[in-house]
């Protein structure tokens, strides 16, 4: 009976994650970086598929081992989809705001940016005076225009 509870808790967690995702969607795409919605859509589809197969294995074949494995994979995919959907980098006035999915929002004045370098993978590295370096992934949508706007504000 415990495996059924794990199954239903995973299902509820996934549904809550999919419903609350709309709250974090990007409304104003100007001066913002975010990951493509395709990533979290694929991850949520993987979640739905794993839940379906887990239910089939659990209720028809009574195979607990594979069901637990599929439930864990479903939790991982829905968690990754939630994290990808919440990550944003915003350029507002004279401030660079990095919204991490878990944890704090990081605000950095544009005047503290020492230099901007291109990585070998196509992304950018922002070197900041007295703080950690920020790496912007090449997969973020609108990164080229965002960096140009950041160059203008830094100059």
């Amino acid at each position: 009976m415990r495996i059924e509870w794990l199954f239903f808790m995973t299902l509820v967690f996934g549904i809550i994650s999919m419903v609350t995702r709309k709250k974090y969607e990007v409304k104003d795409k100007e001066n913002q970086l975010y990951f493509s919605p395709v990533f979290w859509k694929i991850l949520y589809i993987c979640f739905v598929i794993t839940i379906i197969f887990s239910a089939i294995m659990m209720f028809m074949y009574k195979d607990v081992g594979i069901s637990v494995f599929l439930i864990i994979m479903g939790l991982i995919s829905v968690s990754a989809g939630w994290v990808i959907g919440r990550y944003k980098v915003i350029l507002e006035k004279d401030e660079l705001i990095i919204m991490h999915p878990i944890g704090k929002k990081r605000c950095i004045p544009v005047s503290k940016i020492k230099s901007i370098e291109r990585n070998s993978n196509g992304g950018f590295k922002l070197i900041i005076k007295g703080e950690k370096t920020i790496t912007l992934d090449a997969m973020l949508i609108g990164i080229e225009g965002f960096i140009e706007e950041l160059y203008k504000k830094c100059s």
Side-chain angles (χ1 to χ4, degrees):
M1 196 63 168
R2 292 181 187 139
I3 187 71
E4 286 87 3
W5 282 108
L6 180 64
F7 171 78
F8 288 115
M9 286 180 4
T10 303
L11 185 63
V12 168
F13 176 71
I15 291 171
I16 289 171
S17 177
M18 284 190 254
V19 169
T20 58
R21 171 194 51 80
K22 297 223 181 267
K23 178 181 174 186
Y24 301 105
E25 282 185 11
V26 178
K27 290 166 181 65
D28 180 23
K29 295 180 181 359
E30 198 170 299
N31 293 334
Q32 290 190 21
L33 293 178
Y34 56 94
F35 284 103
S36 173
V38 170
F39 291 125
W40 53 259
K41 285 180 184 175
I42 290 171
L43 288 166
Y44 283 138
I45 289 170
C46 290
F47 165 74
V48 170
I49 291 169
T50 58
I51 289 299
I52 290 170
F53 282 120
S54 176
I56 291 170
M57 290 302 203
M58 188 172 13
F59 295 115
M60 289 182 67
Y61 297 110
K62 306 288 187 213
D63 192 348
V64 176
I66 293 175
S67 295
V68 168
F69 173 73
L70 289 171
I71 288 171
I72 290 170
M73 295 308 293
L75 282 172
I76 290 170
S77 65
V78 79
S79 300
W82 180 77
V83 166
I84 286 174
R86 287 206 45 189
Y87 181 79
K88 288 185 203 78
V89 180
I90 305 168
L91 183 60
E92 276 186 4
K93 298 180 186 173
D94 291 334
E95 205 170 46
L96 184 67
I97 302 168
I98 300 161
M99 298 177 73
H100 295 283
I102 300 170
K104 60 185 181 208
K105 180 166 79 170
R106 189 172 172 194
C107 300
I108 300 161
V110 175
S111 59
K112 286 183 98 179
I113 296 175
K114 193 173 173 181
S115 66
I116 301 171
E117 299 174 358
R118 183 176 277 280
N119 284 346
S120 59
N121 66 357
F124 290 91
K125 188 187 299 184
L126 306 176
I127 299 170
I128 300 167
K129 297 174 192 167
E131 291 186 34
K132 289 183 180 178
T133 302
I134 298 172
T135 304
L136 300 177
D137 194 56
M139 300 289 283
L140 293 167
I141 292 180
I143 194 163
E144 296 294 332
F146 186 85
I147 294 298
E148 288 175 15
E149 188 70 28
L150 194 57
Y151 271 130
K152 289 178 190 173
K153 292 198 178 205
C154 285
S155 309

